[in-house]
Amino acid sequence: MNAVLQSPSETAPPTHIDGPAAWIGPQLQQRSDWIERLDARELEEIDTAVHRLQASGLGLGAISPASFELPTLGPRLKRILGELLHGRGFVLLRGLDLSRYSVEQAAIAYLGVGSWLGSFRSQNARGHLLGHVRDTGADIRQPTTRYYQTNRELEFHTDSCDIVGLLCLKASKSGGESRIVSSVTLYNEMMRRRPDLAAQLFHAFPTDRRGEVPVGADPWFDVPVFNWLDGQLTTIYVGQYIRSAQENFPAARRLTPLEIEALDFLDTLANDPALCLKMEFRPGDMQFLHNHQILHARTDFEDWPEPERRRHLFRLWLAPREGRSLPASFAARYGSLTPGERGGIIVQGTELTFAVNPD
């Protein structure tokens, strides 16, 4: 393959990347192998582990593969982790029966499953290791509001961790559809159509921290969208926060017209129905995504008027010990670059906690 686009690593990326990570949405839409269905034995293992943990008196912080034993499902989850890190990059785990559990028991079940995939990372300045995705009525115009706290569309983006997981507790009245796209496929398409714009995405882009600023850091961080290291393309991207950094921080580097065009083209490709994959969330569905090779989005949604019926998802940010090497530029956002110990949001005063019930 011809090498182009000189990057900070010892070699330049290829003009085209092959492999299972370079998937096309409509092709996968015709298949179901990305949906992993829990069987009766595995569900019983989860049930037993939930009740054993509750009976032990251990807190949620003690949840790990050792305390949440899954003799059959555990090895399957390790295989799924391999698919996340080295294959397609995503999975939908279906079949958890939430009618059997209280909210706390559902949290234990989800944390138990997630612990087999990686360590828990803080998802906000308050140190939430178990996050809640729901409409809180927050005003997105406020500089500290993040889009997952609203019913607004989430544009295609990555989260600040290796793996992000969602458990659907309650679905919306309408909308809120999950969409994902392969960032490897986006790179391939940009290289095929506009390699000059693909080259721009190897530049470092100022990205708004949304008020969650570590001690001594700027209110934004600088990182390239596309990164090539150890023969792998790693992507980190939140277009909405790149734009807000331009609006809110005059000291942040100003983007060039060509860089802005590159970001717009990336968004256009990500939203192309010929490339992205749509999936419906049912209560009990667990979605896990590898952020370094998957961008995810959500459509606007209309919620139920009754508070007890409103859309609600648990979220996990996970760091597997088996994670890939990351470029040095990720340290501005991820802190440590050590697999299993990186990612998440820590600021002065952050106290790690498991918030079972949303504020």
Side-chain angles (χ1 to χ4, degrees):
M1 293 181 289
N2 295 325
V4 296
L5 306 183
Q6 186 60 44
S7 71
S9 64
E10 69 280 3
T11 61
T15 57
H16 183 88
I17 301 172
D18 294 314
W23 50 264
I24 303 294
Q27 295 175 4
L28 291 189
Q29 204 84 58
Q30 304 304 315
R31 296 158 40 186
S32 61
D33 54 334
W34 49 272
I35 302 176
E36 298 269 355
R37 301 179 187 277
L38 297 168
D39 63 28
R41 182 177 179 181
E42 293 165 337
L43 290 170
E44 186 60 34
E45 286 183 356
I46 294 174
D47 201 54
T48 298
V50 167
H51 290 97
R52 181 184 293 127
L53 190 98
Q54 279 194 309
S56 73
L58 295 173
L60 300 184
I63 293 177
S64 70
S67 64
F68 202 86
E69 298 180 19
L70 299 172
T72 304
L73 178 57
R76 184 181 179 191
L77 290 172
K78 286 301 183 183
R79 176 183 62 77
I80 288 173
L81 177 61
E83 180 65 39
L84 290 172
L85 299 180
H86 309 297
R88 198 170 43 237
F90 73 96
V91 67
L92 187 68
L93 194 58
R94 175 162 284 170
L96 186 66
D97 184 2
L98 294 178
S99 68
R100 303 175 64 170
Y101 299 129
S102 66
V103 173
E104 181 180 5
Q105 289 172 329
I108 293 172
Y110 189 44
L111 288 164
V113 169
S115 73
W116 283 82
L117 302 178
S119 64
F120 308 127
R121 312 307 295 171
S122 171
Q123 300 174 37
N124 52 34
R126 300 172 69 184
H128 290 171
L129 299 172
L130 177 67
H132 298 266
V133 178
R134 64 193 184 96
D135 179 14
T136 66
D139 185 353
I140 195 57
R141 294 171 296 181
Q142 297 301 312
T144 58
T145 297
R146 288 163 62 185
Y147 276 81
Y148 72 84
Q149 299 170 312
T150 75
N151 68 346
R152 296 272 298 277
E153 175 188 10
L154 283 170
E155 297 178 8
F156 278 98
H157 67 284
T158 60
D159 287 348
S160 298
C161 59
D162 294 314
I163 293 174
V164 57
L166 294 171
L167 166 62
C168 179
L169 298 173
K170 296 177 182 178
S172 62
K173 182 177 180 181
S174 63
E177 184 177 53
S178 174
R179 297 187 297 156
I180 64 174
V181 67
S182 163
S183 55
V184 176
T185 297
L186 296 180
Y187 169 81
N188 287 341
E189 285 298 304
M190 291 192 78
M191 286 299 298
R192 183 174 68 85
R193 305 187 199 185
R194 290 292 305 273
D196 59 321
L197 296 184
Q200 300 301 308
L201 297 184
F202 285 86
H203 301 170
F205 287 81
T207 304
D208 191 349
R209 294 183 187 273
R210 303 301 288 177
E212 297 173 323
V213 185
V215 175
D218 290 322
W220 70 89
F221 59 95
D222 296 279
V223 66
V225 174
F226 287 156
N227 302 265
W228 184 254
L229 181 67
D230 296 341
Q232 293 180 306
L233 181 76
T234 296
T235 300
I236 178 170
Y237 178 61
V238 188
Q240 288 162 309
Y241 297 164
I242 291 175
R243 293 193 295 273
S244 65
Q246 294 292 296
E247 296 166 0
N248 298 328
F249 309 122
R253 182 182 71 83
R254 299 295 93 182
L255 302 185
T256 68
L258 202 58
E259 288 172 333
I260 294 171
E261 185 180 359
L263 295 175
D264 290 343
F265 190 48
L266 181 69
D267 288 337
T268 297
L269 290 175
N271 284 282
D272 188 343
L275 299 179
C276 65
L277 173 68
K278 300 177 182 178
M279 64 179 73
E280 173 194 6
F281 278 164
R282 306 174 187 174
D285 281 354
M286 290 179 273
Q287 180 196 67
F288 293 99
L289 308 175
H290 190 211
N291 276 299
H292 306 317
Q293 65 189 72
I294 301 290
L295 273 62
H296 61 283
R298 182 198 71 201
T299 60
D300 290 338
F301 67 88
E302 178 187 1
D303 229 336
W304 299 96
E306 303 90 347
E308 68 277 7
R309 298 180 67 187
R310 291 190 172 180
R311 185 181 191 269
H312 188 187
L313 288 80
F314 281 152
R315 185 174 67 179
L316 292 177
W317 282 7
L318 301 170
R321 292 190 304 273
E322 302 87 345
R324 65 173 58 179
S325 298
L326 292 180
S329 60
F330 273 62
R333 183 58 168 173
Y334 275 57
S336 170
L337 297 181
T338 303
E341 303 175 10
R342 67 195 187 193
I345 297 171
I346 300 291
V347 303
Q348 186 172 16
T350 295
E351 295 184 7
L352 300 180
T353 182
F354 294 90
V356 172
N357 295 300
D359 296 347

